[in-house]
Amino acid sequence: MFRRTKLILALLAASIGSGATLAFAQDSQPQSWSEVKCARYKKAWSEALARRGTQGLGPEFLDNHDAFLASGCMAQANVCPKSAEELELANIMVILAMNAGTASTFLPFSCRK
């Protein structure tokens, strides 16, 4: 439990720092809010995977998440966490995404029957 708390705190700290970097970055073309949210989310996802790894994450979970990212974060939510590790990562991503200023409806996590 303590390790999980340390991981979440480390990811939150990284997310806060990355948000500040994005705010000061100047691109030649202005980005839409959807593009900014997706860029922040992609960065948080990469950092989370780098810190925790992919152990316990199934190919369906990862493939569906990759499809969401490839769509510019516009694809319908279709990433269903099934294992404990997938649910833990999804929960971390919810916290990081909300911390980055995205709405909860932005996230790709959903389990349909």
Side-chain angles (χ1 to χ4, degrees):
M1 182 69 175
F2 181 70
R3 182 173 177 251
R4 185 179 308 170
T5 302
K6 284 178 57 178
L7 173 66
I8 290 171
L9 291 175
L11 289 169
L12 284 172
S15 174
I16 291 168
S18 68
T21 302
L22 285 172
F24 292 102
Q26 293 183 357
D27 294 340
S28 58
Q29 296 179 357
Q31 291 184 317
S32 71
W33 177 231
S34 294
E35 292 170 322
V36 170
K37 288 191 298 185
C38 191
R40 290 178 183 179
Y41 184 83
K42 282 181 180 180
K43 183 171 176 69
W45 175 258
S46 295
E47 291 173 355
L49 287 183
R51 290 182 185 271
R52 74 165 307 285
T54 59
Q55 183 176 0
L57 306 179
E60 181 180 7
F61 180 83
L62 292 171
D63 290 346
N64 288 343
H65 196 276
D66 287 346
F68 173 74
L69 295 178
S71 76
C73 304
M74 300 300 284
Q76 181 179 8
N78 191 30
V79 182
C80 180
K82 295 177 182 170
S83 69
E85 294 86 355
E86 290 171 354
L87 183 58
E88 178 182 344
L89 181 57
N91 287 335
I92 289 169
M93 292 310 300
V94 169
I95 293 168
L96 294 176
M98 297 301 286
N99 190 52
T102 65
S104 60
T105 57
F106 166 81
L107 297 164
F109 305 107
S110 176
C111 295
R112 293 176 172 75
K113 289 194 175 209

